[in-house]
Structure formats: C-alpha cells, structure tokens
C-alpha cells in the first residue's frame, strides 16, 4: 500500500518511498527533561505514534525503527537543579520516568530507541572535530561555532534567507561569533555544571548537535548505501527553525545525507488561546489525568488521544473541555456496544486509506463513526487498534474489549489476550523470579525493564506477581524478551 506524506522540505505531498523496505527509519525530537510534559509536548507523541503504527502495519513490525531522544544536558535542567538543590541525575531520571508514564497513559508505543544525549558525548566531539577540519566550524574562547553562511542551503527547510532570519529572530550577539547567525556546537562549563573533556577544554554540547549525532548513530549508520541517510524526521513546527535547520546544516556538512522526509505538526491551543501560565490555561498531561486542571475532572488517556487525533496534524489543535467531554461520551458508547465483540483481522480499507493519506486521522475517525452506525463493530475494534486509541493487539487473534468504570468520569479499556500471551508472560515472570533467587540481577533487571517497554505492568505481591496490559502493550517487544 502506498503512503503519502507532506514533506516540509519540498512543500509537496509525496509518495513515501523508503530507502530500504526492510529497514524503515524514523527520528522524532523528544523532550528536554526538567519538568512534567505539558499538553503541547504530547501532541507530536500521539501524531508520530500513529505514523509508527501505520509504518509497522504496512512494512512489518520488525522492519521499522523509531528513535525519540531525551535531551538530558541543558541550561534549563541546570537551573532546576540550582533551584531545588537536587542533583541533575535525579532530576533527569525522575522526569524521564514521568514522561514514559504519561505517554504510556496516552496509549503511545515506546520507541525502539530512546537515547539520552549524555550517552553520545564522544560521538558529538568527533563530529565537531570533523566540522572544524572541513572549515565549517571554528573555536573561540572555549566555544565551537558553526559557520552558517558557509552552508549555502541553510534556510531551505523553513524557506527563509539568512538575512531574513537575522532580521526576524532574536540571535545571540557574542564577541566570539564571526557572524550573528553562527550557532554553538560546544561551550565551556564551569566546575559547578556538567562538563566533559574535549580538545577545546572542559565543556558541554550545544542543543542541536545531539540530534544529528544520535540520528546518525542509530539510523544513518545502517544506510546500506553508506551515505548516512534515513527516511523520516519529525517534530513540532516550532522546531523547524533553528533546531532542524541547524541539524540539517551540521549533518550534511559532515557528509551525511540525513533525513529524506521532514514532517512537522502544528501547535496546540487551549480554548482558542495560546497555552500559557499567565492565562491560567497551562496544564500538564498529568494534570489532565488526575483532574488538576480548569475542567476539574479526570480525563483518561484514551480521551486525550482521541481529541488529539480528531484534528489533522498539520492544522492547529484547539483543546476544549467540550471536545474532551464529547470524546469521552463517544468512547463510552462505542466500548459499551463492542463489549465481548472480537476484533476483525481485516483492517477497514477506508480507515487505512485515510491514514495513508498524510495521516488523515480526522478522516479515519469519521469512518469509525460510520462503522459504528453500520453496526460493523469488529472492524471498528480493528480501527481502534490501528489508531492506538485502544490497546495495541496487532498480533492477538482473539480480542475483546470490556469497559471498566472508575468513578463517574473515567473510561478505560481492558484487553482479554490469547493464551499464548498469558503463557509467555507467566514464563518470563518465572524466569525473573529464578534470576533473582540466583542473584542474576542483570537478567532480572533486563526482564523488569523489558516488561515496562512492552507495556506489561507487573505488580509484585507477597503471594507472587500480578500483571496487566498497559495501553501501549507491544507484543513484538514482549516476544523479544524470550
């Protein structure tokens, strides 16, 4: 099946032609980990989760690699550590855990790789050295900066010239810069800040270099043509300039072809206004899940996701309490009607066609309404699975949905798995218990982390271990633990 995507780099909707059908690769810019993810942070997660699911559906679950990074070295993190007196490691570890929990609640599959920037410092130093050697970067006063004007195609992604960017943007004017638009690849660190040894002194990387390095290391190296290319790079359109422009410049000046297709989702508003703390309409995903927002009621993850996907990703998304209530009512109605129904193994062609048409999730949901009206509940449940609105059960042959009420304002769905899945989980839990007894903590920890990544929630009790499937359950990742 052909997939068509609106490529920001060309401005055209194009047929997606992966570099290698057996190795489809996607990179999405992830969060800077110093605080809870707000609602706007969650929109690209939901958008690119649907694309990930679609690519896996078309090319096969084992033929798609998805990378979403964590920025865990940043001035905002340093400032939070100074404010709280806590260590940077504690803050980043806690925040990454929060992010996983919140995105799990939205039914998002975890990426195949979720690298931390601090795990790739030597590779960043090597890339920067290469840029200096080729004359694309220079060192001044412990800083290393990229010469923007030396890369002639700078600005092609956002469609602006360098001079226009200078006129319309706030750029740091520093005495060590040759040009106001030159951006930092490396900067010095004082003793109280994170730092690593480098040819330019103790310091830390600039923001942009991390994504170029991690995308190359995890995706570009597997380019069978040896040109450092991969298929898709995504993120919010607020990252187009300067972050993505800078990624392209530094990567291509290192000789890497980098991403073939660029996708950008539009921004999110709340009740028709830009989300901001000063307007009192700023809230995190956790605020919604726990009812700590202006609506005052707990919004289930399925409802948040449904509201997100009801608007096309390239259009501004307006979160309103009315939309959330309508979405919850729809999901309640559908789930009640589908209780005990087996999901069809055949995907509705109109749902699939909508998603393949530049991720037209709004169109897919429109078709789901038709399936409900037509009484085609098996295909409706199949569409739930493909959209990630319910649990991911692509490999489960017999699926049923049951509604479980929790209070008056929450909705959740639970999946009855086939015996194969239950037996596998039981076997792995038995192996984990044995590994603990034998003090094989490496294997025990591997299974613990693997359960979490696969979306299996394990609760240890004095009588043994209970488990349930999270909305992001991924059978392929569970199978990989064997």
């Amino acid at each position: 099946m052909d997939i068509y995507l609106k490529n920001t780099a060309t401005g055209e909707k194009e047929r997606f032609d992966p570099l290698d059908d057996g190795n489809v690769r996607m990179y999405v810019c992830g969060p800077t980990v110093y605080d809870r993810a707000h609602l706007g942070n969650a929109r690209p997660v939901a958008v690119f989760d649907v694309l990930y699911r679609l690519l896996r559906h078309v090319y096969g679950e084992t033929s798609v690699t998805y990378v979403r990074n964590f920025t865990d070295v940043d001035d905002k993190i340093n400032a939070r550590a100074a404010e709280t007196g806590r260590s940077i490691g504690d803050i980043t570890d806690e925040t990454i855990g929060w992010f996983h929990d919140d995105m799990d609640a939205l039914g998002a599959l975890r990426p195949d790789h979720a690298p931390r920037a601090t795990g790739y410092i030597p590779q960043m130093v090597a890339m920067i050295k290469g840029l200096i050697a080729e004359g694309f970067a220079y060192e001044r006063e412990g800083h290393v900066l990229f010469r923007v004007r030396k890369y002639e195609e700078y600005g092609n992604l956002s469609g602006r010239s360098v001079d226009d960017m200078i006129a319309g943007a706030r750029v740091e004017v520093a005495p060590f810069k040759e040009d106001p638009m030159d951006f930092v690849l490396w900067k010095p660190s004082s003793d109280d800040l994170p730092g690593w040894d480098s040819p330019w002194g103790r310091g830390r990387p600039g923001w942009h270099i991390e994504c170029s390095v991690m995308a190359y290391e995890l995706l570009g190296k597997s380019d069978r043509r040896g040109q450092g290319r991969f298929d898709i790079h995504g993120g919010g359109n607020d990252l187009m300039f300067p972050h993505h422009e800078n990624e392209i410049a530094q990567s291509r000046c290192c000789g890497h072809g980098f991403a073939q297709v660029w996708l950008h989702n539009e921004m999110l508003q709340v009740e028709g206004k830009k989300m901001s703390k000063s307007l009192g309409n700023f809230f995190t995903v956790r605020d919604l899940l726990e009812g700590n927002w202006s609506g005052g009621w707990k919004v289930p993850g399925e409802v948040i996701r449904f509201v997100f996907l009801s608007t096309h990703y390239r259009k501004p998304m307006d979160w309103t309490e009315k939309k959330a209530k309508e979405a919850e009512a729809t999901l309640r109605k559908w789930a009640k009607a589908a209780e005990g129904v087996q999901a069809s193994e055949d995907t509705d062609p109109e749902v699939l066609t909508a998603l393949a048409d530049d991720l037209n999730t709004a169109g897919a949901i429109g078709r789901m309404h038709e399936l409900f009206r037509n009484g085609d509940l098996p295909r409706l449940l199949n569409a739930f699975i493909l959209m990630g609105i319910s649990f991911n059960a692509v490999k489960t042959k017999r699926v049923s949905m049951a509604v479980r009420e929790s209070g008056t304002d929450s909705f959740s769905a639970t999946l009855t798995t086939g015996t194969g899945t239950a037996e596998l989980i039981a076997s792995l839990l038995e192996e984990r218990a044995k590994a603990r007894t034998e003090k094989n903590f490496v294997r025990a920890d591997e299974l613990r982390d693997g359960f979490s990544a696969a979306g299996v929630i394990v609760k240890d009790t004095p009588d043994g271990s209970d488990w349930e499937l999270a909305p992001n359950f991924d059978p392929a990742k569970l199978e990989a633990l064997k």
Side-chain angles (χ1 to χ4, degrees), residues 60-114:
E61 292 181 5
T62 61
S63 298
V64 182
T65 303
Y66 174 22
V67 177
R68 186 182 65 227
N69 71 296
F70 288 112
T71 297
D72 62 342
V73 54
D74 185 87
D75 290 343
K76 291 179 180 178
I77 302 171
N78 299 339
R80 182 56 54 89
E83 289 171 10
T84 62
R86 300 178 64 198
S87 73
I88 287 172
D90 284 348
I91 291 171
T92 56
D93 287 348
E94 178 181 63
T95 308
I96 288 172
W98 285 346
F99 187 84
H100 280 314
D101 290 345
D102 292 346
M103 298 309 112
D104 288 352
L106 301 190
L109 298 174
R110 295 200 183 182
D112 299 286
H113 302 281

Side-chain angles (χ1 to χ4, degrees), residues 281-316:
N281 66 352
F282 179 95
F283 38 83
T284 67
V285 173
R286 184 54 47 178
D287 289 335
L288 285 173
L289 294 171
E290 296 182 352
N292 300 320
W293 64 297
S294 56
W297 51 284
K298 294 181 180 181
V299 185
E302 296 93 335
V303 172
I304 298 171
R305 185 182 184 96
F306 193 88
V307 174
F308 280 163
L309 300 184
S310 295
T311 299
H312 192 275
Y313 79 94
R314 285 192 290 105
K315 294 181 179 180

Side-chain angles (χ1 to χ4, degrees), residues 151-173:
Y151 177 61
E152 295 181 357
E153 296 180 11
Y154 192 87
N156 283 3
L157 183 69
S158 56
R160 293 180 289 179
S161 70
V162 173
D163 290 331
D164 288 341
M165 291 179 189
I166 292 175
R170 296 177 181 176
V171 295
E172 180 187 2
V173 178

